[in-house]
Amino acid sequence: MSNVKQDRHVEEDWWPHPIPANVEFGEGFYCESAQIFRKMVSKKPGAVVIGKHVSCYAGCSFAIGENGRCIIGDFTLLNGALIMAEEKIEIGSYCLVSWGVGMADSDFHPLEPAQRLIDAQALAPYFKDRPPRPKLKTAPVKIGNNVWIGMNAVILKGVTIGENSIVAAGAVVTKSIPANTIVAGNPAAVVKTF
């Protein structure tokens, strides 16, 4: 059972488009609105793979780049999260991801000042001499099982969060976190282990 119809439209959805064909989902999937996939660029099969009994509420957004991929385990709840994958973001089973959480496997712009100038021109839709975008650095993000990520937390590229861990509201996670750990702050630091 799911609220996604056979034609991939969501029941009683205000968004007129169906869930993209390259989004795979298991039984019991709940999607508040197909608009959460409006920022998907990838056309590759399996760009987003969602497990069984996953819930995605309307505040979510999957910004999946041309070569990006996102995998979500069973019984995970996403409530207003922004998932930005140029390479890969993997979220385990039984995770709770709150409002305003951002996960990114890239900086999305070059760190070098001269390259950012080129990037700004490349992103200007009406600039007649638009250069190609500079190559961006990516590193996968992996969230273990039974992780709770609090409101407005940010998970940056290359981070792994171990199972059973908690990321406090507003934390900015720049380094990997072991299992059974609570982190808070900017940058996130360990406040408790269990």
Side-chain angles (χ1 to χ4, degrees), residues 114-154:
Q115 292 295 301
R116 278 200 314 278
L117 293 174
I118 295 167
D119 198 40
Q121 292 177 349
L123 293 169
Y126 300 111
F127 181 50
K128 65 177 181 162
D129 298 319
R130 281 175 75 179
R133 287 194 75 187
K135 181 147 176 58
L136 302 175
K137 294 176 184 165
T138 64
V141 170
K142 183 171 179 160
I143 311 299
N145 295 330
N146 195 30
V147 168
W148 178 16
I149 303 175
M151 183 171 41
N152 293 324
V154 177

mmCIF file of all heavy atoms in Angstrom, residues 114-154:
data_model
loop_
_atom_site.group_PDB
_atom_site.id
_atom_site.type_symbol
_atom_site.label_atom_id
_atom_site.label_comp_id
_atom_site.label_asym_id
_atom_site.label_seq_id
_atom_site.Cartn_x
_atom_site.Cartn_y
_atom_site.Cartn_z
ATOM 1 N N ALA A 114 39.453 32.452 -8.170
ATOM 2 C CA ALA A 114 39.431 32.625 -9.632
ATOM 3 C C ALA A 114 38.436 31.663 -10.286
ATOM 4 O O ALA A 114 37.742 32.023 -11.250
ATOM 5 C CB ALA A 114 40.833 32.426 -10.210
ATOM 6 N N GLN A 115 38.346 30.452 -9.757
ATOM 7 C CA GLN A 115 37.410 29.467 -10.307
ATOM 8 C C GLN A 115 35.961 29.847 -9.999
ATOM 9 O O GLN A 115 35.058 29.586 -10.779
ATOM 10 C CB GLN A 115 37.719 28.077 -9.749
ATOM 11 C CG GLN A 115 39.034 27.504 -10.230
ATOM 12 C CD GLN A 115 39.006 27.261 -11.729
ATOM 13 O OE1 GLN A 115 38.186 26.528 -12.249
ATOM 14 N NE2 GLN A 115 39.913 27.923 -12.438
ATOM 15 N N ARG A 116 35.735 30.503 -8.845
ATOM 16 C CA ARG A 116 34.380 30.964 -8.507
ATOM 17 C C ARG A 116 33.910 32.045 -9.465
ATOM 18 O O ARG A 116 32.731 32.121 -9.801
ATOM 19 C CB ARG A 116 34.302 31.451 -7.057
ATOM 20 C CG ARG A 116 34.124 30.332 -6.068
ATOM 21 C CD ARG A 116 33.573 30.820 -4.732
ATOM 22 N NE ARG A 116 34.197 32.008 -4.199
ATOM 23 C CZ ARG A 116 35.343 32.030 -3.515
ATOM 24 N NH1 ARG A 116 35.994 30.902 -3.276
ATOM 25 N NH2 ARG A 116 35.819 33.163 -3.060
ATOM 26 N N LEU A 117 34.835 32.900 -9.919
ATOM 27 C CA LEU A 117 34.467 33.923 -10.909
ATOM 28 C C LEU A 117 33.974 33.257 -12.194
ATOM 29 O O LEU A 117 32.961 33.666 -12.776
ATOM 30 C CB LEU A 117 35.663 34.833 -11.215
ATOM 31 C CG LEU A 117 36.151 35.730 -10.079
ATOM 32 C CD1 LEU A 117 37.410 36.463 -10.484
ATOM 33 C CD2 LEU A 117 35.072 36.709 -9.659
ATOM 34 N N ILE A 118 34.687 32.237 -12.631
ATOM 35 C CA ILE A 118 34.278 31.491 -13.831
ATOM 36 C C ILE A 118 32.943 30.796 -13.590
ATOM 37 O O ILE A 118 32.052 30.808 -14.447
ATOM 38 C CB ILE A 118 35.372 30.478 -14.236
ATOM 39 C CG1 ILE A 118 36.645 31.211 -14.662
ATOM 40 C CG2 ILE A 118 34.875 29.537 -15.339
ATOM 41 C CD1 ILE A 118 37.863 30.327 -14.791
ATOM 42 N N ASP A 119 32.780 30.221 -12.410
ATOM 43 C CA ASP A 119 31.538 29.520 -12.075
ATOM 44 C C ASP A 119 30.347 30.476 -12.101
ATOM 45 O O ASP A 119 29.262 30.134 -12.589
ATOM 46 C CB ASP A 119 31.671 28.858 -10.700
ATOM 47 C CG ASP A 119 30.631 27.786 -10.467
ATOM 48 O OD1 ASP A 119 30.331 27.025 -11.408
ATOM 49 O OD2 ASP A 119 30.120 27.693 -9.337
ATOM 50 N N ALA A 120 30.535 31.701 -11.583
ATOM 51 C CA ALA A 120 29.458 32.688 -11.590
ATOM 52 C C ALA A 120 29.025 33.010 -13.029
ATOM 53 O O ALA A 120 27.833 33.132 -13.323
ATOM 54 C CB ALA A 120 29.888 33.953 -10.864
ATOM 55 N N GLN A 121 29.982 33.118 -13.946
ATOM 56 C CA GLN A 121 29.652 33.363 -15.356
ATOM 57 C C GLN A 121 28.950 32.150 -15.961
ATOM 58 O O GLN A 121 27.976 32.287 -16.709
ATOM 59 C CB GLN A 121 30.913 33.684 -16.156
ATOM 60 C CG GLN A 121 31.545 35.003 -15.785
ATOM 61 C CD GLN A 121 32.836 35.249 -16.536
ATOM 62 O OE1 GLN A 121 33.384 34.359 -17.195
ATOM 63 N NE2 GLN A 121 33.362 36.469 -16.426
ATOM 64 N N ALA A 122 29.445 30.952 -15.623
ATOM 65 C CA ALA A 122 28.866 29.718 -16.175
ATOM 66 C C ALA A 122 27.422 29.526 -15.725
ATOM 67 O O ALA A 122 26.623 28.897 -16.428
ATOM 68 C CB ALA A 122 29.713 28.522 -15.757
ATOM 69 N N LEU A 123 27.077 30.068 -14.569
ATOM 70 C CA LEU A 123 25.730 29.906 -14.032
ATOM 71 C C LEU A 123 24.770 31.024 -14.454
ATOM 72 O O LEU A 123 23.588 30.966 -14.125
ATOM 73 C CB LEU A 123 25.787 29.806 -12.506
ATOM 74 C CG LEU A 123 26.470 28.553 -11.981
ATOM 75 C CD1 LEU A 123 26.713 28.658 -10.482
ATOM 76 C CD2 LEU A 123 25.666 27.321 -12.323
ATOM 77 N N ALA A 124 25.258 32.028 -15.167
ATOM 78 C CA ALA A 124 24.415 33.137 -15.625
ATOM 79 C C ALA A 124 23.716 32.726 -16.930
ATOM 80 O O ALA A 124 24.352 32.663 -17.980
ATOM 81 C CB ALA A 124 25.259 34.390 -15.830
ATOM 82 N N PRO A 125 22.412 32.428 -16.885
ATOM 83 C CA PRO A 125 21.713 31.860 -18.050
ATOM 84 C C PRO A 125 21.754 32.712 -19.309
ATOM 85 O O PRO A 125 21.732 32.178 -20.414
ATOM 86 C CB PRO A 125 20.269 31.693 -17.576
ATOM 87 C CG PRO A 125 20.268 31.907 -16.122
ATOM 88 C CD PRO A 125 21.527 32.594 -15.748
ATOM 89 N N TYR A 126 21.853 34.041 -19.178
ATOM 90 C CA TYR A 126 21.796 34.897 -20.362
ATOM 91 C C TYR A 126 23.135 35.507 -20.738
ATOM 92 O O TYR A 126 23.209 36.391 -21.596
ATOM 93 C CB TYR A 126 20.740 36.001 -20.157
ATOM 94 C CG TYR A 126 19.368 35.423 -19.920
ATOM 95 C CD1 TYR A 126 18.761 35.534 -18.684
ATOM 96 C CD2 TYR A 126 18.700 34.721 -20.926
ATOM 97 C CE1 TYR A 126 17.512 34.973 -18.451
ATOM 98 C CE2 TYR A 126 17.454 34.169 -20.708
ATOM 99 C CZ TYR A 126 16.864 34.303 -19.470
ATOM 100 O OH TYR A 126 15.642 33.746 -19.247
ATOM 101 N N PHE A 127 24.215 35.025 -20.127
ATOM 102 C CA PHE A 127 25.553 35.501 -20.489
ATOM 103 C C PHE A 127 25.959 34.824 -21.795
ATOM 104 O O PHE A 127 26.044 33.606 -21.873
ATOM 105 C CB PHE A 127 26.541 35.181 -19.362
ATOM 106 C CG PHE A 127 27.949 35.636 -19.613
ATOM 107 C CD1 PHE A 127 28.208 36.939 -20.010
ATOM 108 C CD2 PHE A 127 29.012 34.776 -19.446
ATOM 109 C CE1 PHE A 127 29.512 37.369 -20.234
ATOM 110 C CE2 PHE A 127 30.319 35.189 -19.674
ATOM 111 C CZ PHE A 127 30.562 36.491 -20.066
ATOM 112 N N LYS A 128 26.192 35.649 -22.844
ATOM 113 C CA LYS A 128 26.405 35.079 -24.188
ATOM 114 C C LYS A 128 27.696 34.277 -24.308
ATOM 115 O O LYS A 128 27.790 33.389 -25.133
ATOM 116 C CB LYS A 128 26.349 36.165 -25.256
ATOM 117 C CG LYS A 128 27.441 37.188 -25.172
ATOM 118 C CD LYS A 128 27.367 38.189 -26.291
ATOM 119 C CE LYS A 128 28.512 39.169 -26.142
ATOM 120 N NZ LYS A 128 28.776 39.890 -27.328
ATOM 121 N N ASP A 129 28.708 34.581 -23.507
ATOM 122 C CA ASP A 129 29.984 33.855 -23.588
ATOM 123 C C ASP A 129 30.165 32.911 -22.402
ATOM 124 O O ASP A 129 31.260 32.785 -21.850
ATOM 125 C CB ASP A 129 31.149 34.857 -23.634
ATOM 126 C CG ASP A 129 31.092 35.758 -24.851
ATOM 127 O OD1 ASP A 129 30.774 35.239 -25.940
ATOM 128 O OD2 ASP A 129 31.336 36.968 -24.705
ATOM 129 N N ARG A 130 29.082 32.243 -22.022
ATOM 130 C CA ARG A 130 29.130 31.361 -20.849
ATOM 131 C C ARG A 130 30.215 30.294 -20.982
ATOM 132 O O ARG A 130 30.197 29.504 -21.927
ATOM 133 C CB ARG A 130 27.798 30.646 -20.670
ATOM 134 C CG ARG A 130 26.732 31.482 -20.044
ATOM 135 C CD ARG A 130 25.415 30.753 -20.015
ATOM 136 N NE ARG A 130 25.425 29.726 -18.975
ATOM 137 C CZ ARG A 130 24.404 28.950 -18.713
ATOM 138 N NH1 ARG A 130 23.287 29.039 -19.415
ATOM 139 N NH2 ARG A 130 24.478 28.058 -17.755
ATOM 140 N N PRO A 131 31.146 30.242 -20.031
ATOM 141 C CA PRO A 131 32.147 29.165 -20.050
ATOM 142 C C PRO A 131 31.542 27.902 -19.426
ATOM 143 O O PRO A 131 30.506 27.966 -18.763
ATOM 144 C CB PRO A 131 33.258 29.720 -19.158
ATOM 145 C CG PRO A 131 32.539 30.607 -18.186
ATOM 146 C CD PRO A 131 31.372 31.192 -18.942
ATOM 147 N N PRO A 132 32.171 26.759 -19.617
ATOM 148 C CA PRO A 132 31.721 25.566 -18.883
ATOM 149 C C PRO A 132 32.046 25.742 -17.404
ATOM 150 O O PRO A 132 32.979 26.451 -17.035
ATOM 151 C CB PRO A 132 32.526 24.423 -19.503
ATOM 152 C CG PRO A 132 33.696 25.080 -20.163
ATOM 153 C CD PRO A 132 33.292 26.492 -20.504
ATOM 154 N N ARG A 133 31.279 25.076 -16.562
ATOM 155 C CA ARG A 133 31.537 25.146 -15.121
ATOM 156 C C ARG A 133 32.848 24.438 -14.781
ATOM 157 O O ARG A 133 33.158 23.390 -15.356
ATOM 158 C CB ARG A 133 30.411 24.470 -14.346
ATOM 159 C CG ARG A 133 29.140 25.282 -14.329
ATOM 160 C CD ARG A 133 28.186 24.759 -13.301
ATOM 161 N NE ARG A 133 28.637 25.147 -11.961
ATOM 162 C CZ ARG A 133 28.079 24.719 -10.837
ATOM 163 N NH1 ARG A 133 27.059 23.882 -10.870
ATOM 164 N NH2 ARG A 133 28.536 25.107 -9.664
ATOM 165 N N PRO A 134 33.602 24.969 -13.842
ATOM 166 C CA PRO A 134 34.798 24.260 -13.365
ATOM 167 C C PRO A 134 34.379 22.944 -12.701
ATOM 168 O O PRO A 134 33.269 22.805 -12.197
ATOM 169 C CB PRO A 134 35.397 25.215 -12.332
ATOM 170 C CG PRO A 134 34.804 26.557 -12.623
ATOM 171 C CD PRO A 134 33.460 26.284 -13.211
ATOM 172 N N LYS A 135 35.295 21.989 -12.696
ATOM 173 C CA LYS A 135 35.006 20.697 -12.062
ATOM 174 C C LYS A 135 34.871 20.890 -10.554
ATOM 175 O O LYS A 135 35.649 21.576 -9.922
ATOM 176 C CB LYS A 135 36.131 19.702 -12.370
ATOM 177 C CG LYS A 135 35.898 18.338 -11.764
ATOM 178 C CD LYS A 135 36.461 17.242 -12.630
ATOM 179 C CE LYS A 135 36.326 15.882 -12.008
ATOM 180 N NZ LYS A 135 35.013 15.447 -11.674
ATOM 181 N N LEU A 136 33.840 20.249 -10.005
ATOM 182 C CA LEU A 136 33.577 20.354 -8.580
ATOM 183 C C LEU A 136 34.088 19.126 -7.839
ATOM 184 O O LEU A 136 34.063 18.018 -8.376
ATOM 185 C CB LEU A 136 32.071 20.500 -8.345
ATOM 186 C CG LEU A 136 31.409 21.689 -9.023
ATOM 187 C CD1 LEU A 136 29.911 21.648 -8.817
ATOM 188 C CD2 LEU A 136 31.992 22.997 -8.508
ATOM 189 N N LYS A 137 34.543 19.317 -6.616
ATOM 190 C CA LYS A 137 34.998 18.204 -5.791
ATOM 191 C C LYS A 137 33.805 17.604 -5.059
ATOM 192 O O LYS A 137 32.985 18.336 -4.501
ATOM 193 C CB LYS A 137 36.045 18.683 -4.794
ATOM 194 C CG LYS A 137 37.324 19.152 -5.454
ATOM 195 C CD LYS A 137 38.299 19.704 -4.447
ATOM 196 C CE LYS A 137 39.520 20.242 -5.183
ATOM 197 N NZ LYS A 137 40.336 21.101 -4.344
ATOM 198 N N THR A 138 33.725 16.281 -5.068
ATOM 199 C CA THR A 138 32.650 15.580 -4.366
ATOM 200 C C THR A 138 33.238 14.507 -3.466
ATOM 201 O O THR A 138 34.362 14.042 -3.679
ATOM 202 C CB THR A 138 31.676 14.905 -5.355
ATOM 203 O OG1 THR A 138 32.377 13.899 -6.094
ATOM 204 C CG2 THR A 138 31.055 15.895 -6.319
ATOM 205 N N ALA A 139 32.476 14.122 -2.452
ATOM 206 C CA ALA A 139 32.830 12.998 -1.583
ATOM 207 C C ALA A 139 31.518 12.479 -0.990
ATOM 208 O O ALA A 139 30.709 13.257 -0.484
ATOM 209 C CB ALA A 139 33.784 13.436 -0.471
ATOM 210 N N PRO A 140 31.269 11.175 -1.076
ATOM 211 C CA PRO A 140 29.989 10.621 -0.638
ATOM 212 C C PRO A 140 29.687 10.881 0.835
ATOM 213 O O PRO A 140 30.587 11.021 1.658
ATOM 214 C CB PRO A 140 30.139 9.115 -0.885
ATOM 215 C CG PRO A 140 31.329 8.950 -1.738
ATOM 216 C CD PRO A 140 32.190 10.153 -1.552
ATOM 217 N N VAL A 141 28.394 10.931 1.124
ATOM 218 C CA VAL A 141 27.891 11.064 2.497
ATOM 219 C C VAL A 141 27.185 9.768 2.841
ATOM 220 O O VAL A 141 26.417 9.242 2.032
ATOM 221 C CB VAL A 141 26.910 12.253 2.605
ATOM 222 C CG1 VAL A 141 26.194 12.259 3.960
ATOM 223 C CG2 VAL A 141 27.633 13.568 2.371
ATOM 224 N N LYS A 142 27.441 9.250 4.046
ATOM 225 C CA LYS A 142 26.781 8.019 4.469
ATOM 226 C C LYS A 142 26.246 8.192 5.888
ATOM 227 O O LYS A 142 26.991 8.486 6.814
ATOM 228 C CB LYS A 142 27.740 6.829 4.419
ATOM 229 C CG LYS A 142 27.041 5.540 4.790
ATOM 230 C CD LYS A 142 27.897 4.325 4.550
ATOM 231 C CE LYS A 142 27.096 3.115 4.973
ATOM 232 N NZ LYS A 142 27.530 1.891 4.431
ATOM 233 N N ILE A 143 24.937 7.980 6.023
ATOM 234 C CA ILE A 143 24.273 8.058 7.313
ATOM 235 C C ILE A 143 23.910 6.625 7.720
ATOM 236 O O ILE A 143 23.208 5.932 6.970
ATOM 237 C CB ILE A 143 22.975 8.910 7.230
ATOM 238 C CG1 ILE A 143 23.228 10.262 6.526
ATOM 239 C CG2 ILE A 143 22.350 9.075 8.605
ATOM 240 C CD1 ILE A 143 24.208 11.166 7.178
ATOM 241 N N GLY A 144 24.381 6.169 8.870
ATOM 242 C CA GLY A 144 24.115 4.811 9.330
ATOM 243 C C GLY A 144 22.664 4.617 9.750
ATOM 244 O O GLY A 144 21.842 5.546 9.704
ATOM 245 N N ASN A 145 22.340 3.413 10.182
ATOM 246 C CA ASN A 145 20.982 3.087 10.626
ATOM 247 C C ASN A 145 20.655 3.753 11.959
ATOM 248 O O ASN A 145 21.533 3.967 12.793
ATOM 249 C CB ASN A 145 20.817 1.567 10.784
ATOM 250 C CG ASN A 145 20.940 0.841 9.471
ATOM 251 O OD1 ASN A 145 20.618 1.358 8.407
ATOM 252 N ND2 ASN A 145 21.422 -0.390 9.532
ATOM 253 N N ASN A 146 19.363 4.068 12.150
ATOM 254 C CA ASN A 146 18.836 4.576 13.418
ATOM 255 C C ASN A 146 19.515 5.866 13.859
ATOM 256 O O ASN A 146 19.796 6.074 15.042
ATOM 257 C CB ASN A 146 18.961 3.501 14.515
ATOM 258 C CG ASN A 146 18.119 3.826 15.738
ATOM 259 O OD1 ASN A 146 17.087 4.471 15.627
ATOM 260 N ND2 ASN A 146 18.576 3.379 16.896
ATOM 261 N N VAL A 147 19.765 6.756 12.894
ATOM 262 C CA VAL A 147 20.365 8.055 13.185
ATOM 263 C C VAL A 147 19.260 9.106 13.230
ATOM 264 O O VAL A 147 18.358 9.105 12.399
ATOM 265 C CB VAL A 147 21.429 8.422 12.120
ATOM 266 C CG1 VAL A 147 21.855 9.879 12.244
ATOM 267 C CG2 VAL A 147 22.630 7.501 12.237
ATOM 268 N N TRP A 148 19.335 10.014 14.186
ATOM 269 C CA TRP A 148 18.394 11.119 14.295
ATOM 270 C C TRP A 148 19.162 12.403 14.019
ATOM 271 O O TRP A 148 20.147 12.700 14.685
ATOM 272 C CB TRP A 148 17.790 11.142 15.697
ATOM 273 C CG TRP A 148 16.834 12.258 15.969
ATOM 274 C CD1 TRP A 148 16.205 13.064 15.063
ATOM 275 C CD2 TRP A 148 16.409 12.699 17.267
ATOM 276 N NE1 TRP A 148 15.399 13.962 15.702
ATOM 277 C CE2 TRP A 148 15.501 13.769 17.065
ATOM 278 C CE3 TRP A 148 16.694 12.293 18.552
ATOM 279 C CZ2 TRP A 148 14.890 14.422 18.117
ATOM 280 C CZ3 TRP A 148 16.077 12.950 19.611
ATOM 281 C CH2 TRP A 148 15.185 13.999 19.386
ATOM 282 N N ILE A 149 18.700 13.149 13.010
ATOM 283 C CA ILE A 149 19.332 14.416 12.643
ATOM 284 C C ILE A 149 18.325 15.528 12.923
ATOM 285 O O ILE A 149 17.249 15.580 12.317
ATOM 286 C CB ILE A 149 19.787 14.420 11.175
ATOM 287 C CG1 ILE A 149 20.754 13.250 10.927
ATOM 288 C CG2 ILE A 149 20.445 15.748 10.829
ATOM 289 C CD1 ILE A 149 21.188 13.072 9.497
ATOM 290 N N GLY A 150 18.679 16.416 13.858
ATOM 291 C CA GLY A 150 17.778 17.463 14.307
ATOM 292 C C GLY A 150 17.626 18.614 13.330
ATOM 293 O O GLY A 150 18.410 18.790 12.388
ATOM 294 N N MET A 151 16.628 19.429 13.588
ATOM 295 C CA MET A 151 16.246 20.543 12.736
ATOM 296 C C MET A 151 17.422 21.463 12.394
ATOM 297 O O MET A 151 18.235 21.812 13.247
ATOM 298 C CB MET A 151 15.155 21.345 13.454
ATOM 299 C CG MET A 151 14.600 22.493 12.679
ATOM 300 S SD MET A 151 13.152 23.249 13.443
ATOM 301 C CE MET A 151 13.555 23.289 15.150
ATOM 302 N N ASN A 152 17.509 21.822 11.113
ATOM 303 C CA ASN A 152 18.492 22.773 10.573
ATOM 304 C C ASN A 152 19.946 22.317 10.694
ATOM 305 O O ASN A 152 20.863 23.136 10.549
ATOM 306 C CB ASN A 152 18.323 24.160 11.196
ATOM 307 C CG ASN A 152 17.023 24.803 10.788
ATOM 308 O OD1 ASN A 152 16.564 24.633 9.659
ATOM 309 N ND2 ASN A 152 16.402 25.521 11.698
ATOM 310 N N ALA A 153 20.186 21.049 10.931
ATOM 311 C CA ALA A 153 21.565 20.542 10.916
ATOM 312 C C ALA A 153 22.055 20.485 9.469
ATOM 313 O O ALA A 153 21.264 20.384 8.530
ATOM 314 C CB ALA A 153 21.634 19.158 11.556
ATOM 315 N N VAL A 154 23.369 20.555 9.306
ATOM 316 C CA VAL A 154 23.995 20.506 7.985
ATOM 317 C C VAL A 154 25.035 19.398 8.001
ATOM 318 O O VAL A 154 25.899 19.362 8.888
ATOM 319 C CB VAL A 154 24.654 21.866 7.631
ATOM 320 C CG1 VAL A 154 25.360 21.788 6.291
ATOM 321 C CG2 VAL A 154 23.620 22.982 7.624
#
